[in-house]
């Protein structure tokens, strides 16, 4: 997979235009996403509850939704606001997808995230200090999986 800043920008643009699969095949011959995604999908049963952690734009959320049938459930976790808003547009009418605007980590609290200049990118990251290249950091809620499970 290409990870140069230019490749990351191209991926962000193609996702917004809805042509990311076509462009992905053109610029990447490794097939990582297809292999990885297919391995995950193979493990899903129709009545599973699936946590999509870092759901970003919902690519896997949608694939999981197709696989679980009418009796499964998906919980999509996405801490960045623009990506979360995108997920709401896609899945707000689905009774099988629960959306959570939080990060998942090893404890509960607040963390800082550096937000890429492309707000829909998959390259946002948790940072210890406000030292992102463009200074665009935000505070997001983080929860441990065990505390979320205890709430359910």
């Amino acid at each position: 997979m290409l990870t140069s800043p230019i490749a990351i920008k191209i991926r962000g643009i193609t996702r917004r235009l809805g042509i990311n699969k076509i462009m992905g095949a053109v610029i990447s011959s490794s097939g990582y996403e297809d292999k990885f995604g297919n391995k995950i999908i193979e493990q899903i049963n129709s009545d599973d509850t699936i946590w999509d952690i870092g759901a970003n734009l919902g690519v896997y959320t949608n694939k999981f939704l197709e696989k679980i049938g009418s009796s499964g459930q998906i919980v999509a976790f996405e801490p960045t606001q623009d990506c979360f808003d995108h997920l709401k547009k896609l899945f707000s009418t689905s009774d099988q997808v629960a959306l959570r605007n939080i990060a998942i980590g090893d404890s509960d609290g607040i963390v800082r995230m550096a937000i890429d200049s492309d707000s829909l990118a998959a390259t946002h990251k948790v940072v210890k200090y406000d030292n992102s290249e463009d200074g665009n950091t935000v505070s997001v809620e983080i929860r441990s999986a065990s505390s979320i499970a205890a709430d359910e």
Side-chain angles (χ1 to χ4, degrees):
M1 178 184 298
L2 298 173
T3 58
S4 74
I6 294 171
I8 291 169
K9 296 289 183 202
I10 291 170
R11 282 198 302 265
I13 293 167
T14 60
R15 273 197 305 276
R16 278 191 246 195
L17 295 174
I19 58 172
N20 54 322
K21 289 185 180 182
I22 296 166
M23 288 305 293
V26 170
I27 64 174
S28 174
S29 61
S30 68
Y32 168 80
E33 286 289 341
D34 290 334
K35 291 175 189 173
F36 177 76
N38 289 339
K39 291 293 183 189
I40 292 173
I41 299 297
E42 289 172 6
Q43 304 302 312
I44 297 173
N45 295 308
S46 61
D47 59 348
D48 283 347
T49 296
I50 301 162
W51 284 19
D52 187 354
I53 299 172
N56 191 249
L57 299 180
V59 172
Y60 285 104
T61 307
N62 196 48
K63 289 180 181 184
F64 299 155
L65 188 57
E66 292 172 3
K67 179 74 178 197
I68 62 171
S70 60
S71 58
Q73 181 73 27
I74 300 165
V75 183
F77 297 92
E78 176 52 51
T80 65
Q81 194 60 54
D82 286 353
C83 292
F84 186 74
D85 290 344
H86 181 83
L87 290 171
K88 285 193 298 189
K89 288 177 190 173
L90 294 177
F91 300 109
S92 63
T93 60
S94 175
D95 293 334
Q96 291 177 272
V97 178
L99 301 174
R100 301 289 302 268
N101 190 200
I102 60 174
I104 302 296
D106 62 355
S107 62
D108 294 356
I110 302 293
V111 294
R112 296 292 293 169
M113 288 192 75
I115 305 298
D116 190 280
S117 59
D118 174 0
S119 66
L120 297 178
T123 53
H124 312 303
K125 60 187 171 199
V126 172
V127 293
K128 190 170 185 174
Y129 305 104
D130 289 348
N131 62 351
S132 65
E133 290 178 15
D134 61 6
N136 189 13
T137 61
V138 295
S139 295
V140 298
E141 179 182 5
I142 188 167
R143 300 273 312 272
S144 71
S146 58
S147 74
I148 292 170
D151 288 348
E152 300 298 316

